[in-house]
Amino acid sequence: MNAATSEAKESLLSRLKAHARFKRKYLAFPYAVFLLLFVILPLLLIVYYAFSDSSGTPSFDALVSFFTSPNKWQVLFVSLFMGVQTTLICLLLGYPAAYFLADKKFNKNAVLVVLFVMPMWINFVIRTGATRDLLDVIGLSGAQYPWPATLIGMVYNYLPFTILPLYTTMLKLDRSQMEAASDLGASPFRVFVHNVIPQSLPGIISASEMVFMPVMSSYVISDTLSEGKITLFGNYIYLDFSNSMWNEGSFMALIMLLIVGVSMLLTRNVDRSDAQVRGGGLW
């Protein structure tokens, strides 16, 4: 009797577990619908418009137009240069700030972290307009200095996106390893170069990606702060779509996606290499 009861309980438990697993599958259904409607279908539409003409006939006119247009190549190089400049400045400013915020010897209150995040709570367009008015007051208007004004606006808007991933990574720094290196006679500079930077490399990569690509695709900041004198890749795509040039705008959007994909492929092994670095061999 006990054996039969035990078998019945085990059978009931197995059925309940199978039922629970079956139910959990349905939890992914809303995400699958969202992915289909707002990611896959828009991408397919972009591909369709990029390789067709205005009548819907398959065509490579947009591809030929992009690779034979000096203006588009100039916009691409200007966008790359702006992205690199903004990313480097954000890293130079955000790295020491994140290190300071993550070190409990200097920062014992999470309020400081919130202060760096607070600008992100304000509407993006309002922040950009306020930056333009402030630059006008101090004599750096976009009419006279379009590049510096745009660069300041980019750094201001994307600096929090640099600090947050760096801060999250630096919270996980192996402080005991750094202290051991100092005890063994390593100078603060060697500790920083051979220990802190390798451990924080994933944060540096994440911060760079979160700044570089949005800067290239941005058009509100450059259009507002430069007063239309600087055209970035995002501006050009916006202008194409505004003028109903869906095919050329879609192909340029594909170029942006290609750049994003290449950058992700180049940095996908950073976490793995970082894990190997943490295991030893720094000194």
Side-chain angles (χ1 to χ4, degrees):
M1 186 69 179
N2 291 335
T5 304
S6 177
E7 290 179 1
K9 287 182 179 179
E10 290 179 0
S11 176
L12 178 61
L13 287 174
S14 63
R15 286 199 301 269
L16 289 174
K17 289 180 181 179
H19 184 68
R21 286 195 297 268
F22 181 72
K23 287 293 185 182
R24 282 200 295 266
K25 294 179 181 179
Y26 286 106
L27 296 177
F29 183 74
Y31 175 74
V33 173
F34 177 86
L35 191 67
L36 176 65
L37 294 179
F38 298 104
V39 178
I40 297 177
L41 286 180
L43 286 176
L44 292 177
L45 283 174
I46 289 175
V47 173
Y48 168 74
Y49 280 114
F51 295 101
S52 62
D53 55 22
S54 57
S55 62
T57 305
S59 172
F60 293 98
D61 290 345
L63 183 148
V64 174
S65 175
F66 177 81
F67 285 103
T68 58
S69 173
N71 290 334
K72 293 180 180 179
W73 279 99
Q74 181 182 1
V75 169
L76 176 60
F77 289 131
V78 168
S79 302
L80 289 171
F81 187 56
M82 176 65 76
V84 170
Q85 267 194 309
T86 304
T87 303
L88 290 177
I89 295 174
C90 284
L91 287 175
L92 290 174
L93 296 176
Y95 197 94
Y99 186 80
F100 172 82
L101 293 172
D103 195 334
K104 295 182 179 179
K105 292 190 299 183
F106 305 113
N107 179 27
K108 301 181 183 296
N109 197 332
V111 174
L112 286 177
V113 181
V114 177
L115 292 177
F116 280 95
V117 181
M118 282 181 65
M120 299 171 62
W121 300 351
I122 306 172
N123 182 272
F124 188 80
V125 178
I126 295 176
R127 292 204 313 265
T128 304
T131 305
R132 178 193 58 196
D133 296 339
L134 179 61
L135 293 177
D136 289 342
V137 170
I138 64 177
L140 277 174
S141 65
Q144 296 178 324
Y145 306 99
W147 190 272
T150 303
L151 188 61
I152 291 172
M154 292 290 187
V155 171
Y156 167 68
N157 279 280
Y158 291 107
L159 185 60
F161 295 95
T162 308
I163 293 176
L164 287 179
L166 286 170
Y167 170 74
T168 303
T169 302
M170 288 182 180
L171 285 175
K172 304 173 185 177
L173 290 179
D174 190 349
R175 304 283 176 180
S176 61
Q177 193 177 85
M178 297 161 57
E179 293 171 359
S182 298
D183 293 340
L184 291 173
S187 64
F189 179 76
R190 284 186 58 111
V191 173
F192 177 76
V193 172
H194 294 283
N195 193 295
V196 177
I197 291 181
Q199 290 191 68
S200 60
L201 187 59
I204 295 174
I205 298 299
S206 298
S208 301
E209 290 179 343
M210 292 180 68
V211 173
F212 180 73
M213 295 311 304
V215 167
M216 283 193 61
S217 60
S218 173
Y219 67 90
V220 173
I221 298 175
S222 58
D223 192 57
T224 302
L225 296 182
S226 72
E227 299 187 10
K229 294 184 178 180
I230 293 179
T231 302
L232 299 182
F233 216 69
N235 293 86
Y236 218 107
I237 296 174
Y238 170 73
L239 291 173
D240 282 344
F241 287 155
S242 299
N243 294 320
S244 298
M245 300 172 65
W246 307 104
N247 310 104
E248 295 188 9
S250 296
F251 187 81
M252 293 186 70
L254 280 182
I255 296 297
M256 284 292 301
L257 289 174
L258 179 62
I259 296 174
V260 172
V262 170
S263 65
M264 293 180 65
L265 286 174
L266 292 175
T267 58
R268 64 178 179 176
N269 293 324
V270 171
D271 290 335
R272 187 183 306 169
S273 61
D274 176 68
Q276 295 173 355
V277 168
R278 288 174 184 266
L282 288 177
W283 303 97

